[in-house]
Amino acid sequence: MSRGMKVGLTVGILVLAGGGFAGFKIRQKQHAGAEVRMERVGRRDLVSAVTASGKIEPKTSVDISADITGRIVKIAVREGDLVKKGQFLIQIDPAQYQAAVSRAEGVVASTQATMLQTRASRDQAERAWRRARDLSQAGENLIAPAAVEDYKTALDVAQATYEATGAQLSQSRASLQEARDNLAKTRLVSPITGRVTRLAVEEGEVAVPGTFSRETGLLMTIADLSVILAKVQVDETDVVRLTPDDSVEVTIDAYQDTTFVGRVTRVSHSAQLTATQTASGSNDRAVDFDVEITLQDPPEDIRPDLSCTARVVTDTRSNALSIPIIALTVRDHERVPNETSENTSPDDTLKPKRRNREAEGVFVVRDGIATFRPVKVGIAGDEYFEVLDGVREGETIVGGTYQAIRDLKDGGRVRQVDTTDTERAAAS
């Protein structure tokens, strides 16, 4: 045998041996089972919470807007100033409104004079009619009946003129009051005690009523910061878990490493719809609900519209039997023949009937075999579910990874993941 043939034969033997060894290792690894993380069912203190984000808002906030049109001639406060109820804020040019009051006062005075004249005419017509009536009653030939009727008609006309003038006087007085009210609206004062959180205008600008837009007529905003709310939006799947007076932890982005305590004071009963949903009337997508949280001891320099995150504690369990959240999965669970209903006849029970249905459960490990077992869970903590039924304390279950649990089959072999391999994979 030549030297080349010997070398080729040796290489072939080594390749076959290597392939056989690799195949043996693969079969050995497959026989050992899937690598999973295992965990014993134990007891823990659980806290169920709902997390939502939103903004800081004062409980009482008032937008100051103009009810009349006019140029702003004076602004007595600046943004950030503290103001008291009744304090002067803004002066709108009162010239045209003072002129309107003067015109209305003149109309009232003129109408009052006219009313005096019409009253005198009415009184005179009434005296003339009474004399004619008395003469008619004293004798038929003393005054003609037609003359008596003429005096009566003159009295009726004088009375109607007097009443019309009285109506005109009431109208002119109302116009005067309206003019005075408009003049009073040129001087704006604070309706509450609080802080000026927004000043939207400058001196010289024209104030206009916000007839069609709230922002159009806005001059400034005053907020009472003595009571501060965290207004957050909670998903529809979580809002049913909230109740008033639930304890809340609030973190505000502007105050790092500080947690504020509060209580749920209001849970909205209607969803917060977007402009598109409101216009179309469609509500196919998920919706949020407004939840108001009253903060206890907020910081003195807090401002509205700061971003915040609230963690609402909805329930707690002490020393509860629990499993990792990642361990819970869903499988088609086979219904066994002895699970019969009340309407099942004795003959039907002799026939094996099985029906698959989806069930939540975990994989319980015994002697390296993972068996799916349905469980009933209660509240959910941050990492663990409360277990109400299905497993016992001390049993070993598959606790990870997510992909291993997803691919795991009922009755499959499993083995504890090698921590060395896990650390190596994490490092790579």
Side-chain angles (χ1 to χ4, degrees):
M1 182 180 295
S2 66
R3 183 176 181 181
M5 294 179 62
K6 291 181 179 179
V7 172
L9 181 61
T10 303
V11 171
I13 293 173
L14 290 176
V15 170
L16 291 174
F21 179 76
F24 171 76
K25 294 296 290 183
I26 292 174
R27 289 191 299 272
Q28 185 183 38
K29 187 174 182 180
Q30 291 176 345
H31 181 73
E35 290 186 343
V36 298
R37 291 201 304 267
M38 299 185 190
E39 186 167 335
R40 290 189 178 275
V41 179
R43 295 187 175 275
R44 297 172 180 83
D45 294 336
L46 301 180
V47 177
S48 178
V50 172
T51 302
S53 59
K55 291 184 177 182
I56 295 297
E57 293 185 4
K59 184 177 182 179
T60 303
S61 178
V62 179
D63 289 335
I64 308 298
S65 58
D67 294 328
I68 58 173
T69 301
R71 191 170 301 279
I72 299 173
V73 295
K74 184 177 182 181
I75 300 178
V77 295
R78 294 179 298 177
E79 189 169 314
D81 286 353
L82 289 173
V83 296
K84 295 182 179 180
K85 183 177 181 179
Q87 181 176 333
F88 169 67
L89 301 175
I90 294 177
Q91 179 66 59
I92 297 175
D93 188 0
Q96 59 176 326
Y97 299 100
Q98 288 174 341
V101 170
S102 299
R103 289 194 299 269
E105 288 175 344
V107 172
V108 169
S110 175
T111 308
Q112 286 176 335
T114 303
M115 190 168 184
L116 291 175
Q117 295 175 356
T118 56
R119 184 170 63 182
S121 299
R122 183 202 62 180
D123 294 343
Q124 183 179 6
E126 184 177 5
R127 289 193 297 269
W129 174 75
R130 289 182 183 277
R131 287 195 298 269
R133 184 193 60 183
D134 294 341
L135 289 173
S136 174
Q137 293 175 353
E140 296 181 358
N141 298 325
L142 295 178
I143 189 170
V148 177
E149 292 180 1
D150 291 341
Y151 285 119
K152 177 60 176 172
T153 301
L155 174 59
D156 292 340
V157 172
Q159 179 66 31
T161 303
Y162 174 75
E163 292 177 355
T165 306
Q168 291 176 0
L169 180 59
S170 298
Q171 184 177 1
S172 60
R173 285 173 174 170
S175 298
L176 174 59
Q177 184 61 46
E178 182 181 4
R180 287 173 175 170
D181 290 342
N182 287 336
L183 178 60
K185 291 176 182 177
T186 62
R187 180 182 173 86
L188 303 181
V189 298
S190 177
I192 62 172
T193 298
R195 186 183 297 275
V196 179
T197 57
R198 182 180 181 185
L199 182 59
V201 292
E202 297 287 346
E203 289 184 3
E205 294 186 27
V206 176
V208 295
T211 305
F212 301 102
S213 172
R214 180 180 179 182
E215 293 294 326
T216 302
L218 180 64
L219 303 179
M220 67 174 62
T221 300
I222 299 177
D224 180 4
L225 302 181
S226 60
V227 180
I228 296 298
L229 303 178
K231 192 172 183 179
V232 298
Q233 288 73 48
V234 179
D235 186 80
E236 58 184 335
T237 58
D238 294 327
V239 72
V240 294
R241 299 165 52 191
L242 304 185
T243 57
D245 208 39
D246 280 344
S247 178
V248 188
E249 294 179 350
V250 179
T251 56
I252 303 174
D253 295 349
Y255 300 90
Q256 298 292 334
D257 303 325
T258 304
T259 300
F260 302 94
V261 179
R263 293 280 179 181
V264 174
T265 50
R266 178 179 174 271
V267 180
S268 176
H269 291 277
S270 59
Q272 184 186 48
L273 301 180
T274 63
T276 303
Q277 291 172 323
T278 303
S280 63
S282 174
N283 193 18
D284 297 334
R285 292 188 292 178
V287 294
D288 295 332
F289 288 75
D290 286 333
V291 175
E292 291 183 357
I293 299 161
T294 301
L295 297 186
Q296 300 176 4
D297 299 325
E300 293 183 358
D301 57 344
I302 196 168
R303 299 181 181 182
D305 298 327
L306 293 177
S307 299
C308 66
T309 302
R311 184 175 182 269
V312 185
V313 177
T314 59
D315 210 342
T316 59
R317 294 288 188 273
S318 178
N319 197 32
L321 194 66
S322 58
I323 59 172
I325 291 178
I326 194 175
L328 189 68
T329 184
V330 176
R331 290 292 188 276
D332 286 338
H333 177 59
E334 193 173 50
R335 180 176 178 178
V336 296
N338 60 357
E339 292 180 350
T340 58
S341 63
E342 297 178 357
N343 298 327
T344 305
S345 64
D347 294 337
D348 291 337
T349 58
L350 299 177
K351 301 176 183 179
K353 291 184 178 180
R354 296 176 179 269
R355 181 168 59 88
N356 291 340
R357 59 181 177 86
E358 284 192 346
E360 288 184 330
V362 296
F363 283 97
V364 180
V365 180
R366 181 176 296 176
D367 298 330
I369 303 298
T371 305
F372 180 78
R373 186 186 298 174
V375 297
K376 183 179 180 181
V377 297
I379 69 170
D382 293 334
E383 297 180 3
Y384 290 87
F385 273 121
E386 175 192 18
V387 180
L388 303 178
D389 189 27
V391 293
R392 297 184 299 273
E393 185 176 359
E395 286 189 301
T396 302
I397 62 173
V398 177
T401 61
Y402 170 78
Q403 182 176 356
I405 296 176
R406 183 190 62 184
D407 299 336
L408 192 59
K409 304 296 182 182
D410 190 14
R413 297 191 64 85
V414 294
R415 63 187 178 90
Q416 177 71 28
V417 63
D418 189 349
T419 55
T420 303
D421 294 342
T422 304
E423 293 173 357
R424 188 182 299 114
S428 63

